[in-house]
Amino acid sequence: MLIKRRTAHELRESAVTAERLFQQRRRFLKNGVYAGGMLATLGMLPATAWGLAARFVEQIGSAPNTVAMDAGDEELTSWEAITGYNNFYELGTGKSDPKRNAAALVTEPWSVRVAGECGKPGTYALEDILRPHKFEERVYRLRCVEAWSMVIPWVGFPLADLLRRFEPHSAAKYVAFESLYDPKNPLPGQRFPVLRWPYREGLRMDEAMHPLTFIAVGVYGKPLPNQNGAPLRLVVPWKYGFKSIKSIVKISFVREQPPTSWNMSAPHEYGFYSNVNPKVRHPRWSQARERRIGEFFKRKTLPFNGYAKQVASLYQGMDLQKHF
Ligand code: MTE
């Protein structure tokens, strides 16, 4: 970008027709994420991650409950691509920088500040944020504004379930998010003013509460690698990937549309909404087609990244050329 479901996502596993699920499961098994593979990994994890990882085994490894099939039966993108080809400018602007610089991001201890129009503002330790939630798998397409895409098996929980715990007031019309930024100890990419740090994003309240909107804490059944936005990141599958802010440290309930990083940086190129839309060009390239990582031929980009049935009604009556 530098510039130069009948809510299928909530199908119970037992209700999902076998073949597709089986194929997905086989792929998970091939990637070695279940029981054996997971346990082998656990010994290497630091103490606080142990608790998190143990819950993966408990909730996903031995007793999968809900499974998302919102990417149809499309091939999952490989673990190597998902964790090795990233956009995370705090860790560098090159696609391989985030993995290379991943160790610079310290995720323990981690807390999230909750502020603004809500009944329960405060600073919450990661453990308290995660504890009440039941993790589930969601297989979603991710479409980057740069015209590449992936299919990613996330692990996490609906953002709505988290936000409700803070008792948002009716005056809260938007939710604003911020990523990690310590000016005294910047991450490698934050030494350069490529964006105004911290990275900021936002959603309208109804977008934030939509059942597809997800907080990811894992991928392929493993805790989220740092380069993918550990320890918790947003996933909004019908919007360009830059809306899916990584490594969240602050959530604010606000009355007005909040400023967002890419929109502040280039307002004529990146709108607040940034719904995937093959008909609205980026000023410097077409958005009609995309390169699925791992595939040779380009494929057509779908309106709302293929989630129009679930989300188009959120934008009824809006001019989506204007509100891009
Ligand atoms: N969040 C932060 N904090 N910083 C970033 O640079 N990049 C965004 C988004 N979230 C970004 C971010 C962009 S442009 C994309 S496409 C996705 O993260 C990429 O997510 P992935 O690397 O897990 O595929």
Side-chain angles (χ1 to χ4, degrees):
M1 196 144 86
L2 186 65
I3 326 229
K4 338 211 201 156
R5 295 144 134 84
R6 123 194 176 185
T7 50
H9 57 279
E10 285 185 335
L11 286 180
R12 289 207 60 82
E13 182 172 28
S14 55
V16 176
T17 348
E19 176 65 12
R20 241 169 25 161
L21 181 66
F22 179 71
Q23 292 302 342
Q24 298 278 15
R25 289 272 165 222
R26 276 180 62 89
R27 275 182 228 132
F28 271 90
L29 286 167
K30 227 170 73 188
N31 281 285
V33 295
Y34 284 110
M38 278 300 303
L39 289 168
T41 327
L42 286 176
M44 287 148 46
L45 291 170
T48 51
W50 169 273
L52 184 62
R55 291 184 58 204
F56 278 91
V57 176
E58 197 183 297
Q59 297 193 11
I60 301 294
S62 61
N65 38 41
T66 62
V67 180
M69 288 300 177
D70 277 314
D73 48 12
E74 293 167 35
E75 275 290 321
L76 298 180
T77 302
S78 71
W79 164 266
E80 288 71 26
I82 293 171
T83 62
Y85 185 90
N86 300 98
N87 275 337
F88 195 175
Y89 278 19
E90 289 88 332
L91 297 177
T93 53
K95 293 288 182 277
S96 53
D97 291 346
K99 183 176 178 182
R100 192 159 39 78
N101 293 326
L105 172 63
V106 177
T107 59
E108 301 172 46
W110 194 271
S111 58
V112 179
R113 207 171 120 218
V114 176
E117 298 283 354
C118 69
K120 297 203 163 150
T123 299
Y124 294 84
L126 180 66
E127 292 73 6
D128 297 328
I129 292 275
L130 300 184
R131 193 174 296 115
H133 296 281
K134 204 167 163 66
F135 295 158
E136 49 184 282
E137 291 165 355
R138 293 272 179 108
V139 178
Y140 280 161
R141 294 177 210 94
L142 176 101
R143 169 60 158 83
C144 179
V145 74
E146 297 164 329
W148 54 264
S149 63
M150 297 189 183
V151 178
I152 305 182
W154 301 109
V155 177
F157 50 88
L159 175 66
D161 291 352
L162 177 64
L163 297 187
R164 271 191 213 102
R165 289 169 54 201
F166 307 127
E167 301 173 1
H169 297 157
S170 58
K173 301 298 183 214
Y174 295 86
V175 189
F177 303 88
E178 281 181 22
S179 294
L180 182 69
Y181 178 47
D182 176 357
K184 280 187 228 124
N185 190 18
L187 290 165
Q190 291 175 322
R191 297 197 193 107
F192 308 96
V194 277
L195 289 171
R196 260 154 65 189
W197 309 111
Y199 193 100
R200 293 187 180 89
E201 259 312 332
L203 294 172
R204 221 170 52 190
M205 197 66 185
D206 57 344
E207 297 177 319
M209 300 304 283
H210 191 280
L212 285 182
T213 309
F214 202 59
I215 288 287
V217 295
V219 66
Y220 266 118
K222 301 183 196 181
L224 213 52
N226 286 358
Q227 60 268 34
N228 292 90
L232 79 168
R233 58 95 53 92
L234 187 65
V235 181
V236 195
W238 71 94
K239 293 180 179 282
Y240 291 120
F242 68 85
K243 297 292 291 181
S244 293
I245 184 171
K246 297 178 169 181
S247 304
I248 297 168
V249 296
K250 188 174 176 196
I251 300 176
S252 313
F253 296 94
V254 295
R255 291 167 183 251
E256 309 287 339
Q257 184 178 301
T260 55
S261 287
W262 282 103
N263 180 248
M264 282 192 285
S265 153
H268 55 293
E269 299 193 340
Y270 308 106
F272 175 80
Y273 283 94
S274 287
N275 294 317
V276 174
N277 190 341
K279 292 202 182 125
V280 175
R281 281 180 59 82
H282 183 284
R284 288 177 285 122
W285 60 85
S286 163
Q287 294 290 23
R289 301 172 76 74
E290 67 199 50
R291 183 169 59 92
R292 174 68 51 84
I293 300 299
E295 289 181 1
F296 184 72
F297 294 107
K298 286 196 174 172
R299 52 168 72 214
K300 276 189 179 162
T301 288
L302 304 172
F304 298 104
N305 202 20
Y307 303 100
K309 241 191 242 159
Q310 294 100 314
V311 301
S313 62
L314 294 172
Y315 309 101
Q316 231 161 26
M318 278 175 68
D319 178 350
L320 295 180
Q321 304 273 337
K322 193 169 145 217
H323 298 281
F324 61 94

